[in-house]
Amino acid sequence: MPVISSKTAPEIPTIDQAYSKISNSITVEWATVPGATSYLLTAEDGDTVIETMVASSPGTVTGLKAATLYQITLRSVSASGRSQASSPKQAKTVLAAPTLEVSSPSPDSILVRWGAVYMAIGFSVSLMRANGLGRIWKENTTNTSLTFSSLDAGTLYTIKAYAWNANGIPGDDSTCNQRTSPRAPANIQVLFDSGALKVSVSWTPAEGASNYTVMASSGSFQRSCSTPLSSCSITSLQCGTEYLISVSASNDAGSSKSSSAETLKTVACAPGRVTIQEDPPGHLSVAWSSVDLGDYYVAFVKSDDGLEVHCNTSLTQCDFLSECGFTYFISVFAYNKAGQSPLGDVFNYTTAPCCPSDISPVLVFSDRVEIAWSPVRGAELYETKAVAGCSVVECNDTAPACTLSALNCDTKYNITVYSFSEVRGSNLSCPSRFITTAPCSPEIKNISKAAFSMVNVHWRSTNEGATYTVTAQGKKGLFQCSSTGETCTMGDLPCGSMFSVTAVAETQAGKSLPSYSVPLETAPCCPSGLTAAQVTQSVINVSWTIGAAAQTYVTVLASHIGQSKCHTRQNHCLLGCVACGINYTVALKAISATGLTADCAYQGYSSSACCPLGVKLYRLGPNGIRIYWQASRGSANYSTDLYGSKGIFTCAPRAGLSFCDITDIPCGDVYTVMVSPVSETGLKLTFCPKKIYSGKSSYDP
C-alpha cells in the first residue's frame, strides 16, 4: 500500500449514486476517502453552479431547481488541499410540490385548487380527517382542481397532494388542513327587551363553528352582533320597526347559510306632534299623531302636586279636567304586543293662574284705595286695574295687596285683579268688583253769624249722598254740627274764642279728608259786671270787668235829653255832660282786635239829684246855725254837714223841708257847710258846693 505524504491532496472520490427525493436537492452517496476531512459537492445545470461542503456520505446539495438535470461532481478535502473532481454523475430533481388553495364552499365539501407544476403530467390528491379517524379519500387527476364532497360539516381535514412526471416519478407533496364550514344554527330563540330596545338571540351550537353572527334586518337598516358563544344581543334597535332576525355560524372555512329568519316587531315609537289645548278653561285636550305598530295609546297627565291621571284609547286624542294654577307634565306612550314605547318628549303645560276671589278694601281714601286678597295658585304677579270712565289706574305687584293711588274722589271704580304667570301670561277671565272712593273734601265758602253764640257754615261739594260734619275746634272745646245739605248751624259757641273750622264729608265708602280750615272768631265777651259812680254832678265814672277777647270798649249813657259816650281801651270811663236827676240807659259795646263787637246791655242808671241852690246860713244864738236852700230836681231828702276843726256836725231835715238847724257847735271856729241830696239808698253826694261859716259871719267861698 503506497505511503501518502502529508502534503499530498486526498484521493479523488467515486460517486456511487446520485438521486433526488426533494425537488430542490440531490443526494449523493460515495465511498469514504482516507484522509479526507470533508467533501465538496458541485451541481451544474449549464447555467448555474452550486457547491455544498459536507462532512461525509451521503451528502445533499440544496437550492436546486425542480425537475432539472444536474451534473454532479465530488471532491475530497483535507488539510493538504482538495482532490480533483470525481467523474460526473447526472441526476434530475423531482417535480415541485403543487401550491394548494383550499376552501370549503359548503358544509359538506372541500375544494382543492393548485397551479400547474413544471413537467407534471398528473396529480394525486388525498383527504382524511385530521384526527386520523374515518376513511381516506384519494383522487388522481390531470386537472388543477378537485372537490371532495359528502364530508362532515365543521370538521378539520388534512389534504395531501403531489405531481408526477412522465416516468411516474412522484414529486414533492404539499400538505394542508382545511375545516369544512359549519351548518346554520338551529333552535333560534328571540327575546325582546322593550325598555332597552334590545333583542337577545340564543341557539344550539353548530359543529365546528368558531363564531356566530346575528343579523337584524329591516330594509336597508341592519344591525348585528358576533360571538363565539351560543347567545348574543343586539342593542339600539329602532322603535316601530319590523326586523328579520337570522343567525349564521362561521369558522376559518367560512360562514354557513343564515338560519330561517325570525320576525321581530319592536315597540312602537313614542307618539309625536303632541299638541295641548285648554279650551275652555278647565278642560285640557291632548292630541298626537299615530305611529307605526301602535295598537293603542296611553296618555299620562301628572300635576305638580303629584296627582296623576291617565287615559287609554285607540284614538289619537284624550281629554282631561284641569285646574287653574297648575303645571301639568304630559307624556304619551304607544303600546303593542312588544310592550310600551320609549319615553318621548315630556311636555309641560301650565294653566292660567287662579283669579283672586276675596278682594276686599282694607282702607278707602278719597284719592287711593288699599285692597288685599288671598294669594292664589300659579300667580307670580298681580295686575290690578281700576277703571272709571276714561280714567284707568294700574298697579303691579308680587304681593297679594295693592294701593291704587291718584284716584278721583267720590268715584265708583270697577276694580279687577288679574293674576299673571310668566308662562301663561294674564288670566283675563278674573271677575271685577266695584269700589267707591271716599267723598271729596268739601270747600267752606263762608261762615255767617246767625244769632248770639250761633253761626251758619256754608260749603260747596260735589259728593252724592254724603253727610257733612262741621267741626269748630279751639282752646275752649270742640263744637260740631251735621247736615246732608250744604249748610248747618252751630250754636253755643263761647264768646271771645278762636276756632279752626273744618268740614268732613262721609258716605258708605268712608270719610273725606277735612276741608281746608277756616278761622272763626266769636264776638268778645261782655264784661260780667259794670258799675256807675257819680264823680261830680255832671260827670259819672263807669267801670267794668275785663271781657274776654275785647280790646276796646264803647260806653253810652242815653236819656230823653241826650247821651254821653266814650271809647276806651281801659276798663273804665268818665262820662260828662250828665244831667242830674235823670234816668239813663247804660250800654257797653265790647270790640275785638278784628272789629267784632258784642252789644252788652245793663240796668238803667239814674243820675244823682241836683245839688240845692240858694244855700244860706243864719245864726241861731251863740252855738247854733240854721241852713236854708232851695229844693232841687230829683230829690226830696237832703243832708247838711258842717265840717270844722273841732268836729263834723250833721243835720238831716224831715222830708219836704228845705232848712235844717245845727246846734251845740263850738264857737270861734271856721266851718265848711255842704248841703247834699240823699239817694234812696242813703248815699250822700260829696261834690255839692260848700259854704264857709265863722262864728261871727258867713260868706260864699
Side-chain angles (χ1 to χ4, degrees):
M1 183 171 220
V3 178
I4 304 298
S5 172
S6 60
K7 296 184 179 180
T8 302
E11 293 179 359
I12 297 172
T14 300
I15 299 173
D16 293 334
Q17 61 176 339
Y19 54 87
S20 174
K21 291 186 177 181
I22 300 176
S23 61
N24 67 346
S25 67
I26 294 175
T27 300
V28 181
E29 295 180 0
W30 66 91
T32 301
V33 175
T37 57
S38 59
Y39 302 90
L40 178 65
L41 284 173
T42 302
E44 298 182 41
D45 65 352
D47 293 326
T48 60
V49 177
I50 296 176
E51 294 182 337
T52 300
M53 190 73 71
V54 298
S56 61
S57 177
T60 300
V61 59
T62 60
L64 306 181
K65 301 174 184 176
T68 302
L69 182 62
Y70 284 91
Q71 182 171 287
I72 306 299
T73 59
L74 179 66
R75 289 180 173 87
S76 55
V77 180
S78 68
S80 300
R82 63 177 64 175
S83 70
Q84 294 294 319
S86 68
S87 298
K89 194 83 163 178
Q90 287 188 338
K92 191 175 185 179
T93 54
V94 297
L95 300 180
T99 302
L100 302 179
E101 294 181 3
V102 186
S103 64
S104 177
S106 66
D108 62 349
S109 66
I110 291 178
L111 172 62
V112 184
R113 293 178 179 175
W114 58 88
V117 177
Y118 179 63
M119 297 299 290
I121 63 170
F123 301 91
S124 180
V125 183
S126 61
L127 178 144
M128 65 178 296
R129 284 178 177 267
N131 58 11
L133 301 176
R135 62 172 285 196
I136 299 176
W137 288 263
K138 186 172 183 180
E139 298 285 342
N140 291 327
T141 181
T142 57
N143 297 324
T144 56
S145 65
L146 185 65
T147 299
F148 293 93
S149 58
S150 301
L151 304 180
D152 295 330
T155 303
L156 183 63
Y157 288 89
T158 299
I159 298 98
K160 188 175 183 179
Y162 61 88
W164 68 82
N165 59 17
N167 297 325
I169 298 173
D172 287 347
D173 57 32
S174 291
T175 302
C176 68
N177 291 329
Q178 175 64 46
R179 190 181 299 275
T180 52
S181 59
R183 295 189 186 279
N187 299 324
I188 307 300
Q189 301 293 323
V190 178
L191 180 63
F192 179 64
D193 184 345
S194 60
L197 284 177
K198 178 179 73 172
V199 62
S200 296
V201 184
S202 63
W203 55 88
T204 300
E207 181 67 32
S210 60
N211 197 62
Y212 300 91
T213 299
V214 180
M215 183 69 67
S217 303
S218 177
S220 60
F221 180 83
Q222 291 184 334
R223 292 194 66 82
S224 63
C225 66
S226 295
T227 178
L229 306 176
S230 60
S231 64
C232 186
S233 296
I234 298 177
T235 60
S236 302
L237 296 181
Q238 292 180 335
C239 58
T241 305
E242 184 174 328
Y243 287 94
L244 294 177
I245 307 297
S246 61
V247 185
S248 63
S250 63
N251 56 20
D252 53 2
S255 297
S256 70
K257 292 182 179 179
S258 297
S259 63
S260 297
E262 299 285 337
T263 300
L264 170 66
K265 290 184 178 180
T266 62
V267 294
C269 294
R273 292 194 304 224
V274 177
T275 60
I276 304 166
Q277 290 184 331
E278 187 186 13
D279 188 21
H283 294 80
L284 210 60
S285 177
V286 182
W288 56 88
S289 60
S290 60
V291 294
D292 294 337
L293 302 184
D295 295 337
Y296 64 95
Y297 305 91
V298 178
F300 293 89
V301 175
K302 186 175 184 179
S303 58
D304 51 14
D305 65 351
L307 180 65
E308 184 177 69
V309 295
H310 70 276
C311 95
N312 188 325
T313 180
S314 59
L315 304 177
T316 57
Q317 179 175 328
C318 275
D319 294 322
F320 299 90
L321 294 177
S322 62
E323 295 183 39
C324 59
F326 275 110
T327 295
Y328 293 93
F329 300 93
I330 301 164
S331 54
V332 182
F333 295 90
Y335 288 83
N336 58 20
K337 292 181 179 179
Q340 175 184 289
S341 68
L343 175 64
D345 293 332
V346 177
F347 298 88
N348 63 70
Y349 183 88
T350 301
T351 55
C354 298
C355 291
S357 59
D358 57 346
I359 302 171
S360 59
V362 178
L363 293 172
V364 177
F365 300 95
S366 298
D367 61 346
R368 67 188 188 277
V369 173
E370 295 181 16
I371 59 175
W373 56 89
S374 299
V376 295
R377 189 173 55 244
E380 300 170 359
L381 182 74
Y382 298 97
E383 299 175 334
T384 306
K385 181 181 291 186
V387 179
C390 297
S391 175
V392 179
V393 179
E394 296 179 316
C395 80
N396 299 334
D397 205 325
T398 56
C402 179
T403 299
L404 294 163
S405 56
L407 303 180
N408 296 323
C409 56
D410 194 41
T411 302
K412 188 176 185 179
Y413 281 90
N414 188 4
I415 297 178
T416 309
V417 179
Y418 302 100
S419 52
F420 174 87
S421 68
E422 186 175 357
V423 174
R424 194 55 55 201
S426 296
N427 187 344
L428 300 180
S429 63
C430 296
S432 61
R433 68 162 295 175
F434 287 96
I435 296 177
T436 302
T437 54
C440 303
S441 297
E443 178 186 0
I444 297 177
K445 302 302 294 181
N446 62 72
I447 301 174
S448 61
K449 186 175 181 180
F452 180 74
S453 75
M454 298 178 67
V455 294
N456 288 330
V457 182
H458 303 267
W459 59 86
R460 182 175 63 189
S461 180
T462 58
N463 300 310
E464 293 185 7
T467 298
Y468 300 88
T469 300
V470 179
T471 301
Q473 187 168 10
K475 292 182 179 180
K476 293 188 178 181
L478 183 145
F479 300 85
Q480 289 182 328
C481 66
S482 297
S483 172
T484 57
E486 292 188 339
T487 182
C488 73
T489 300
M490 189 181 302
D492 297 328
L493 295 177
C495 60
S497 300
M498 292 294 296
F499 293 94
S500 176
V501 181
T502 57
V504 173
E506 183 175 3
T507 63
Q508 290 182 346
K511 290 184 178 182
S512 72
L513 292 174
S515 66
Y516 294 119
S517 64
V518 174
L520 170 63
E521 179 185 1
T522 58
C525 295
C526 290
S528 59
L530 181 142
T531 303
Q534 195 100 21
V535 178
T536 67
Q537 185 168 288
S538 64
V539 175
I540 295 177
N541 180 30
V542 181
S543 61
W544 53 88
T545 58
I546 299 298
Q551 189 177 60
T552 61
Y553 303 90
V554 174
T555 307
V556 177
L557 291 180
S559 69
H560 63 281
I561 63 173
Q563 67 176 12
S564 181
K565 179 179 180 180
C566 83
H567 192 180
T568 180
R569 294 175 62 92
Q570 307 299 320
N571 65 333
H572 56 86
C573 183
L574 292 176
L575 294 173
C577 301
V578 176
C580 56
I582 301 297
N583 290 329
Y584 286 90
T585 59
V586 181
L588 184 141
K589 184 180 292 186
I591 304 172
S592 69
T594 59
L596 291 178
T597 62
D599 293 323
C600 308
Y602 297 94
Q603 292 181 349
Y605 174 76
S606 296
S607 60
S608 63
C610 297
C611 291
L613 300 176
V615 176
K616 295 186 179 298
L617 305 176
Y618 295 95
R619 187 180 181 93
L620 294 177
N623 297 88
I625 186 173
R626 174 171 287 186
I627 304 170
Y628 282 94
W629 63 84
Q630 294 178 3
S632 61
R633 182 180 66 247
S635 179
N637 298 316
Y638 294 91
S639 173
T640 59
D641 294 292
L642 186 66
Y643 300 93
S645 60
K646 296 180 181 181
I648 299 175
F649 303 93
T650 300
C651 171
R654 292 191 303 271
L657 297 180
S658 59
F659 68 92
C660 183
D661 295 333
I662 299 174
T663 60
D664 298 327
I665 59 175
C667 60
D669 197 0
V670 177
Y671 294 93
T672 299
V673 179
M674 184 176 66
V675 180
S676 302
V678 178
S679 66
E680 294 179 355
T681 60
L683 180 65
K684 292 189 299 183
L685 299 182
T686 60
F687 49 74
C688 287
K690 299 179 177 62
K691 292 282 188 175
I692 295 176
Y693 168 76
S694 69
K696 295 182 179 180
S697 61
S698 64
Y699 61 92
D700 293 327

